[in-house]
Amino acid sequence: MTDEKAGKVLEVIMEFANIGAGSAATALSSLMDVELMNEVTSCNILPMSKVSDWLGGADKIVAGTYTYLCGDLKSGILVVLPKKSAATLLEHLTKEKVDLAALTEIQKSALKEVGNICLCWYLIAVSKMIDIDMIPAPPDATVDMLGAVLDIPLATLAQKVDTVLAVHTCFKGIDEEFEGYFLMLPEESTLKLILERMAGPRG
Amino acid sequence: MSEPRTVGIGQMAVCHAPEQIVCLGLGSCVAIILYDPVARIGGVVHVLLPKSPVKCDNEEKYADTGTRKLVKEMLNHGVKKERLVAKLVGGAQMFPNLNLAIANIGRENSMTVRNVLRELMIRIVAEDLGGNRGRSAYFNTSDGHVTVKTAFEPVKVL
């Protein structure tokens, strides 16, 4: 792929992710009662070993909700919140003090459900845009080191490739201290499909 | 002491004392840590998947080929195979409720490494495998100690 063509590919994928993340942030913002601002999506093609460095370091503690799309579109997709924002979110929803080291069943379930809602809104928006149904597996959530959270998403892709395209869109509270990001890790075949559809009459 | 060497997914390192080798945020991945206490040479490979396909692009990514390559590399550095001991860290199941075959790949990684080490007749002297927690391993090649840190649990030394 020439540099020019690669640049174009990234541009299209970023537009795709912006739409998804915008929709997901709207859902999260009404759940949280805070106004959220989506920042620009950034894309990077990088070796597996560098993904967690690019996202802030493998030993950083985060709350991650992960699901995998297993229809025509194959991609890992995650919502990641830093420790502090995860605690803020759970305290807002459950109205109780939260200890991330020992989440109660209700809190764990809340974390998973919020991730689920965000991911679904992300998917509904992009699925409409390119007219492909997306079939996510039921998600799961954990609070742990970023590197550990990313192992399963990366292992899924690693069966075929050594470098991945990571699509990252962060969001931030406008008035309140709250932040996090959406991360999409599409398979190569999916990337092609997205590009085709985005270039077509619907795009 | 110099900066520790960080070994990421699908990477390998072999170092002499007193260097430190670090693997951060191991989830379902396994760090295979080999040590020759006489030569005081240590090696680590950070594997992601259990079994390599026939045509393999990156041997360090897989538990079977990665372990073998690490042993070979260490022999090139002058270690004696009879003296090598192994410590294993990682192999957790990070998303136990995920209904995908790959969710339990940590266990497969661990089993594959154990089998390969048995074949090579390398003794496993300590391991911290499985569970649902991520781990970071800090390997000191001066004494062969491996310090394992997790997000919320007390530090362990293997």
Side-chain angles (χ1 to χ4, degrees):
Chain A
M1 209 186 282
T2 61
D3 278 358
E4 200 185 322
K5 199 170 164 209
K8 184 82 196 149
V9 168
L10 294 187
E11 223 172 86
V12 173
I13 292 297
M14 283 198 268
E15 190 195 331
F16 181 84
N18 273 336
I19 305 274
S23 160
T26 309
L28 184 58
S29 132
S30 48
L31 273 174
M32 271 297 290
D33 253 338
V34 290
E35 242 184 293
L36 290 181
M37 178 172 67
N38 260 37
E39 310 222 335
V40 188
T41 298
S42 51
C43 260
N44 206 346
I45 299 170
L46 63 182
M48 297 266 164
S49 55
K50 297 283 176 241
V51 178
S52 51
D53 287 344
W54 184 60
L55 295 170
D59 55 348
K60 198 173 161 193
I61 311 290
V62 297
T65 307
Y66 167 66
T67 188
Y68 184 75
L69 303 179
C70 30
D72 286 340
L73 276 195
K74 296 190 193 332
S75 174
I77 176 160
L78 295 111
V79 191
V80 180
L81 302 173
K83 241 182 358 186
K84 199 160 170 251
S85 297
T88 308
L89 173 87
L90 290 176
E91 276 165 13
H92 176 79
L93 289 174
T94 61
K95 309 282 180 245
E96 52 189 23
K97 194 92 194 101
V98 168
D99 174 12
L100 290 175
L103 290 183
T104 61
E105 278 309 311
I106 293 281
Q107 291 164 347
K108 252 189 232 170
S109 160
L111 184 63
K112 210 188 313 185
E113 210 40 62
V114 169
N116 196 9
I117 291 166
C118 290
L119 294 176
C120 283
W121 277 80
Y122 191 113
L123 296 175
I124 288 166
V126 292
S127 150
K128 266 193 196 147
M129 184 166 53
I130 61 171
D131 197 20
I132 294 180
D133 285 338
M134 313 227 177
I135 308 165
D140 199 7
T142 187
V143 179
D144 214 304
M145 301 178 195
L146 175 65
V149 170
L150 289 177
D151 268 3
I152 292 287
L154 290 178
T156 310
L157 300 174
Q159 289 164 322
K160 290 179 193 157
V161 290
D162 279 319
T163 43
V164 294
L165 171 70
V167 190
H168 163 273
T169 317
C170 49
F171 50 82
K172 248 193 177 123
I174 292 176
D175 302 314
E176 280 173 73
E177 214 180 304
F178 183 78
E179 58 180 344
Y181 58 88
F182 303 110
L183 181 69
M184 190 171 66
L185 299 162
E187 289 202 3
E188 249 179 318
S189 59
T190 291
L191 204 54
K192 258 179 79 186
L193 193 59
I194 294 175
L195 290 172
E196 275 168 28
R197 291 294 180 115
M198 295 278 287
R202 291 186 157 271
Chain B
M1 200 191 286
S2 59
E3 279 281 295
R5 282 272 292 276
T6 304
V7 174
I9 295 173
Q11 294 181 328
M12 182 174 88
V14 176
C15 298
H16 291 253
E19 277 198 80
Q20 271 212 41
I21 310 177
V22 178
C23 285
L24 298 175
L26 295 156
S28 55
C29 284
V30 175
I32 298 121
I33 302 165
L34 298 181
Y35 188 57
D36 176 341
V38 178
R40 294 167 82 214
I41 294 173
V44 175
V45 64
H46 181 162
V47 302
L48 175 67
L49 294 168
K51 295 209 169 69
S52 74
V54 183
K55 202 174 144 269
C56 174
D57 41 357
N58 177 1
E59 293 181 342
E60 290 93 331
K61 199 163 76 179
Y62 302 96
D64 54 354
T65 46
T67 306
R68 289 204 178 89
K69 188 165 180 184
L70 177 62
V71 172
K72 215 158 122 196
E73 184 64 25
M74 291 189 73
L75 294 178
N76 287 342
H77 275 73
V79 311
K80 288 269 178 292
K81 202 177 133 209
E82 313 76 70
R83 294 195 302 240
L84 277 183
V85 289
K87 295 183 180 178
L88 308 178
V89 180
Q93 190 181 13
M94 297 308 300
F95 295 110
N97 297 315
L98 200 66
N99 196 12
L100 295 172
I102 201 158
N104 208 3
I105 202 157
R107 196 167 153 267
E108 273 179 67
N109 284 337
S110 311
M111 304 269 281
T112 309
V113 173
R114 283 197 192 119
N115 286 340
V116 173
L117 289 172
R118 188 181 315 124
E119 257 172 54
L120 296 170
M121 295 196 292
I122 294 170
R123 200 157 51 94
I124 301 170
V125 289
E127 54 179 39
D128 187 16
L129 293 170
N132 305 116
R133 284 276 168 224
R135 301 168 170 96
S136 287
Y138 300 78
F139 174 34
N140 185 343
T141 57
S142 298
D143 53 14
H145 288 170
V146 177
T147 308
V148 181
K149 294 183 184 169
T150 57
F152 304 108
E153 285 153 31
V155 171
K156 268 190 213 173
V157 180
L158 303 181

